Amino acid sequence: LVRSRGLGDVYKRQLQKQLTGYDVDYNTGDATNTFSHNLGLDLTEVMNYNAAIAQITNSAGMLGETSIATSKALTMLSADWASLANLDTADVMQNFQSGLVGQSRALYKYGIDITSAGLAQTAMNHGITESIKNLSQQSKMQLRVLTMLEQSKVAYSDLAKTINSPNNQLRMLDAGFKKLALSIGALFMPCLLYTS
């Protein structure tokens, strides 16, 4: 499986199962409910976010495993921040997507500083001596992701730890209704195709 699909596809499928409970076949686009324990996120929301992050990172020159790791990290981080701050997951995902391209105001509300000063501090902590101005767009993007991760330790695994809280249970109920709509749509799709 790893050789035929590549590690990236395996990681994406594993992440989808953990977050949404669906196994997605990236060759056909089919989503199969695994009925396994998961964090109750909406499949469509997560897949759209992963695609947006992949597009942004690819446009900056981050390819392959680096792009997949960034997408995976920001998806999980967004879900944890949404849980910690009791915010809508889609809004938090949008804020982290904006932060990835350098819009620092989007992340101030979470106490994350990705301004030049914040990035310079992260760079210095990791032994990078080159000026932030001289870094390539790809390097700046990787530095932003590293800064977001390091300044978000308070949110790590919050969704998993507080999955039984009322707010997260409502979030899972909403995602459950969306899963039901997907399942019903999948049942009636062959009928619609046959009649047309």
Side-chain angles (χ1 to χ4, degrees), residues 115-180:
T115 60
S116 293
L119 295 180
Q121 183 63 48
T122 302
M124 188 177 73
N125 291 345
H126 291 277
I128 301 169
T129 57
E130 192 171 349
S131 170
I132 299 299
K133 291 180 184 178
N134 297 333
L135 293 176
S136 67
Q137 182 63 21
Q138 177 183 353
S139 297
K140 286 180 188 175
M141 197 171 281
Q142 288 176 327
L143 202 53
R144 285 185 205 117
V145 172
L146 187 58
T147 302
M148 286 185 240
L149 290 170
E150 288 183 352
Q151 293 182 11
S152 295
K153 290 181 182 172
V154 67
Y156 284 0
S157 301
D158 189 80
L159 180 59
K161 291 175 191 171
T162 62
I163 196 72
N164 291 322
S165 70
N167 187 47
N168 285 332
Q169 288 296 305
L170 283 173
R171 190 185 325 252
M172 288 181 72
L173 179 64
D174 182 49
F177 284 130
K178 290 177 182 175
K179 284 182 184 179
L180 179 62

Side-chain angles (χ1 to χ4, degrees), residues 40-183:
L41 296 182
D42 176 32
L43 174 67
T44 306
E45 192 174 83
V46 170
M47 288 189 70
N48 287 341
Y49 187 64
N50 285 336
I53 295 299
Q55 177 59 36
I56 291 168
T57 54
N58 287 340
S59 68
M62 293 168 62
L63 303 172
E65 299 304 320
T66 307
S67 180
I68 291 166
T70 300
S71 175
K72 183 177 179 179
L74 290 184
T75 301
M76 292 187 294
L77 194 60
S78 297
D80 285 335
W81 268 111
S83 173
L84 180 69
N86 290 328
L87 297 171
D88 182 56
T89 307
D91 291 340
V92 177
M93 286 178 168
Q94 182 61 48
N95 288 329
F96 276 89
Q97 183 177 333
S98 298
L100 183 62
V101 294
Q103 297 177 3
S104 58
R105 286 187 178 182
L107 298 178
Y108 279 151
K109 62 185 90 175
Y110 309 108
I112 299 171
D113 178 18
I114 59 161
T115 60
S116 293
L119 295 180
Q121 183 63 48
T122 302
M124 188 177 73
N125 291 345
H126 291 277
I128 301 169
T129 57
E130 192 171 349
S131 170
I132 299 299
K133 291 180 184 178
N134 297 333
L135 293 176
S136 67
Q137 182 63 21
Q138 177 183 353
S139 297
K140 286 180 188 175
M141 197 171 281
Q142 288 176 327
L143 202 53
R144 285 185 205 117
V145 172
L146 187 58
T147 302
M148 286 185 240
L149 290 170
E150 288 183 352
Q151 293 182 11
S152 295
K153 290 181 182 172
V154 67
Y156 284 0
S157 301
D158 189 80
L159 180 59
K161 291 175 191 171
T162 62
I163 196 72
N164 291 322
S165 70
N167 187 47
N168 285 332
Q169 288 296 305
L170 283 173
R171 190 185 325 252
M172 288 181 72
L173 179 64
D174 182 49
F177 284 130
K178 290 177 182 175
K179 284 182 184 179
L180 179 62
L182 281 173
S183 298

